[in-house]
Amino acid sequence: QVQLVESGGGLVQAGGSLRLSCAASGRTISNYNMGWFRQASGKEREFVAAISRFGGTIYYADSVKVRFTISRDNVKNTVFLQMNSLKPEDTAVYYCAAAVPRLRWDYSDPRGVNYWGEGALVTVSS
């Protein structure tokens, strides 16, 4: 089992940047595909970005492409989400996710996630 703890959330003005970190414990994250999802108030949890076990494959939601960058450091057992050019519509709780690799990786489906962090609130003011 793996435990995930997000950090780096906060309040930022539109156009600003934040960097989220997800520190894992219990097992090495090299065993998992990793990702970020977010959930705005009153909305469904949605996919943001995903990265394969050793970083060779990366996916982004269209809404964050170019602005956000996902990365991982398997030695430090940490996943990152660099968020630039933030918009008010990026306001949400951001969740780190770990998924056991399967033959077919449905990276954007939250039902495929095996472990979740507690979430980090990101608020973007206009």
Side-chain angles (χ1 to χ4, degrees), residues 33-96:
N33 295 322
M34 301 296 294
W36 291 92
F37 289 74
R38 67 186 182 187
Q39 188 165 17
S41 180
K43 295 190 175 182
E44 301 273 317
R45 191 168 297 191
E46 65 174 7
F47 166 73
V48 175
I51 185 168
S52 60
R53 292 174 61 197
F54 300 102
T57 302
I58 290 175
Y59 299 102
Y60 295 100
D62 287 343
S63 59
V64 307
K65 208 170 287 185
V66 177
R67 300 187 298 123
F68 290 12
T69 302
I70 188 171
S71 61
R72 64 191 296 160
D73 186 332
N74 287 349
V75 174
K76 295 182 178 178
N77 231 26
T78 304
V79 181
F80 304 97
L81 185 68
Q82 177 67 43
M83 304 184 293
N84 299 328
S85 302
L86 282 161
K87 305 175 181 179
E89 50 264 42
D90 294 319
T91 295
V93 178
Y94 283 71
Y95 295 92
C96 182

